[in-house]
Amino acid sequence: EVQLVESGGGVVQPGGSLRLSCTGSGFTFGAYALYWIRQAPGKELEWVAQIDAGGGIVRYDDPSTKDRATVSRDNANKTLYLQLDGMKTEDTAVYYCAKSRYSGVQHIPHLRYVTDRGQGTQVTVSS
């Protein structure tokens, strides 16, 4: 059974930083691209970042976070990371990690490429 478990969420002040983690199990972690997706209250899912299976290719799909986000992975420890700096109130959302059905990143990400998703971790940016 594929499991993805996010952690690291919480309350952060505007301008602060946060590092989210996602541990995977039940599949060959290093064989698949992974995604960070978020959903703000009342809004649709937004793709934040993608990283390919080897970790050498990344894409930042959300214009509002692409200059503040860093995605990385540690395949040996089956962990995906998202570092967000300069956080803004509009970053408040539930952040999900998701597994792709492919090893590479997608030019246009879409839910049809997602096979599994974690339960999410709440991030709240507030003073």
Side-chain angles (χ1 to χ4, degrees), residues 30-96:
Y32 297 95
L34 297 169
Y35 309 128
W36 282 105
I37 307 169
R38 70 182 184 181
Q39 188 165 30
K43 295 191 176 181
E44 296 184 353
L45 288 171
E46 291 182 325
W47 246 260
V48 178
Q50 307 178 55
I51 186 166
D52 77 334
I57 300 174
V58 300
R59 282 183 60 93
Y60 298 100
D61 299 289
D62 175 30
S64 71
T65 57
K66 65 183 302 182
D67 295 328
R68 302 182 288 116
T70 304
V71 62
S72 60
R73 65 191 294 166
D74 179 350
N75 286 342
N77 290 302
K78 301 181 180 181
T79 305
L80 171 72
Y81 301 101
L82 178 69
Q83 173 83 22
L84 267 178
D85 300 313
M87 295 194 72
K88 307 175 182 180
T89 55
E90 51 263 43
D91 293 324
T92 295
V94 178
Y95 285 71
Y96 301 95

Side-chain angles (χ1 to χ4, degrees), residues 7-9 17-21 72 81-84:
S7 62
S17 296
L18 206 62
R19 191 191 197 201
L20 305 180
S21 301
S72 60
Y81 301 101
L82 178 69
Q83 173 83 22
L84 267 178

